[in-house]
Amino acid sequence: MLTRPARITTRPTLPGQARRRWVKVLAGGAAIVALVPFGAQVAAVPGWGNPFEQRTVDRSPAPLLTAMRDVAQFRAATGTFQVLVDLEHDTPNVPAVISGERTTFFATGRVDGVVDFSALDGRHVVVSPDRLAVTISLPSPTLEPAVIDPAQSRVVGQERGIVERVTGVFDQAPRSDQELYVLAASKLDAAARTSDLPARAEESTRSMLTNLGTSLGYHRVTVVFNPIDQQ
């Protein structure tokens, strides 16, 4: 049995069919182009953000100054200190065993390092000509008066003469520790001044302002501390 070879029939493309095919291609391209402005409009919907929108960064000193003035006083660092106060009251020409009093007071307190931004103006914030760098001049940190923690402070020793003991039996008025607290606060202030608290306050302030300046578009932020009398 003989098998006839299969015949492949090719239909010629008529001029009208070719024209319709090109029309479909052009129509599809037009539809894609038409989607672009539509997409831009959708991206501009509030809350979505617009990727085609140009953003303007204000690198003038004004925004930085405003942010710093809003802080007013920046508590840059805190230190906790402990001191021992030895307070003695004696009677001239009388032995301490007869008349006299000695009190030993252990005090714990807190001291804050603060930088004042409230008086800053345009002289203290200088922007470079290319507006990529800013130099900020600040007063040196100041240490606030010590705050004693009563819960962590106590009298650890007391010696009293015979006269004070007898007087104490009949004296029902509560004993005042004000003098002890005043002396302890003075010692805590002195301990804070000789510690690394001022240096830590400068470093903390420099770090905070560097982050703030970077968020406002500056590439380089330099912070300089000057004595208060040079401001």
Side-chain angles (χ1 to χ4, degrees), residues 20-36:
R20 285 193 297 270
R21 183 178 301 172
W22 282 108
V23 169
K24 290 181 180 180
V25 172
L26 293 175
I32 294 174
V33 173
L35 286 176
V36 173

Side-chain angles (χ1 to χ4, degrees), residues 10-23:
T10 303
R11 294 182 179 180
T13 302
L14 301 178
Q17 292 177 336
R19 187 165 44 250
R20 285 193 297 270
R21 183 178 301 172
W22 282 108
V23 169

Side-chain angles (χ1 to χ4, degrees), residues 101-168:
E101 184 174 8
R102 181 178 181 180
T103 304
T104 306
F105 180 60
F106 177 78
T108 300
R110 185 193 77 246
V111 178
D112 293 333
V114 178
V115 179
D116 187 9
F117 294 161
S118 61
L120 299 180
D121 55 29
R123 298 172 301 169
H124 301 93
V125 179
V126 179
V127 178
S128 63
D130 60 4
R131 296 189 177 276
L132 295 179
V134 60
T135 300
I136 306 171
S137 299
L138 298 175
S140 297
T142 58
L143 302 182
E144 293 196 332
V147 177
I148 297 177
D149 183 359
Q152 301 295 326
S153 305
R154 62 190 182 278
V155 173
V156 296
Q158 191 170 41
E159 299 174 3
R160 307 177 73 185
I162 296 175
V163 174
E164 283 71 27
R165 294 179 187 178
V166 173
T167 303

Side-chain angles (χ1 to χ4, degrees), residues 20-131:
R20 285 193 297 270
R21 183 178 301 172
W22 282 108
V23 169
K24 290 181 180 180
V25 172
L26 293 175
I32 294 174
V33 173
L35 286 176
V36 173
F38 174 76
Q41 293 175 0
V42 170
V45 173
W48 289 17
N50 188 351
F52 303 102
E53 181 182 1
Q54 292 184 347
R55 188 168 66 96
T56 301
V57 178
D58 184 359
R59 294 197 182 100
S60 66
L64 185 56
L65 268 174
T66 300
M68 294 172 65
R69 285 172 180 166
D70 287 343
V71 176
Q73 284 192 329
F74 177 58
R75 296 186 180 277
T78 299
T80 300
F81 303 91
Q82 295 177 327
V83 295
L84 198 63
V85 176
D86 190 354
L87 178 62
E88 184 175 3
H89 294 287
D90 59 2
T91 302
N93 303 320
V94 177
V97 68
I98 302 298
S99 179
E101 184 174 8
R102 181 178 181 180
T103 304
T104 306
F105 180 60
F106 177 78
T108 300
R110 185 193 77 246
V111 178
D112 293 333
V114 178
V115 179
D116 187 9
F117 294 161
S118 61
L120 299 180
D121 55 29
R123 298 172 301 169
H124 301 93
V125 179
V126 179
V127 178
S128 63
D130 60 4
R131 296 189 177 276

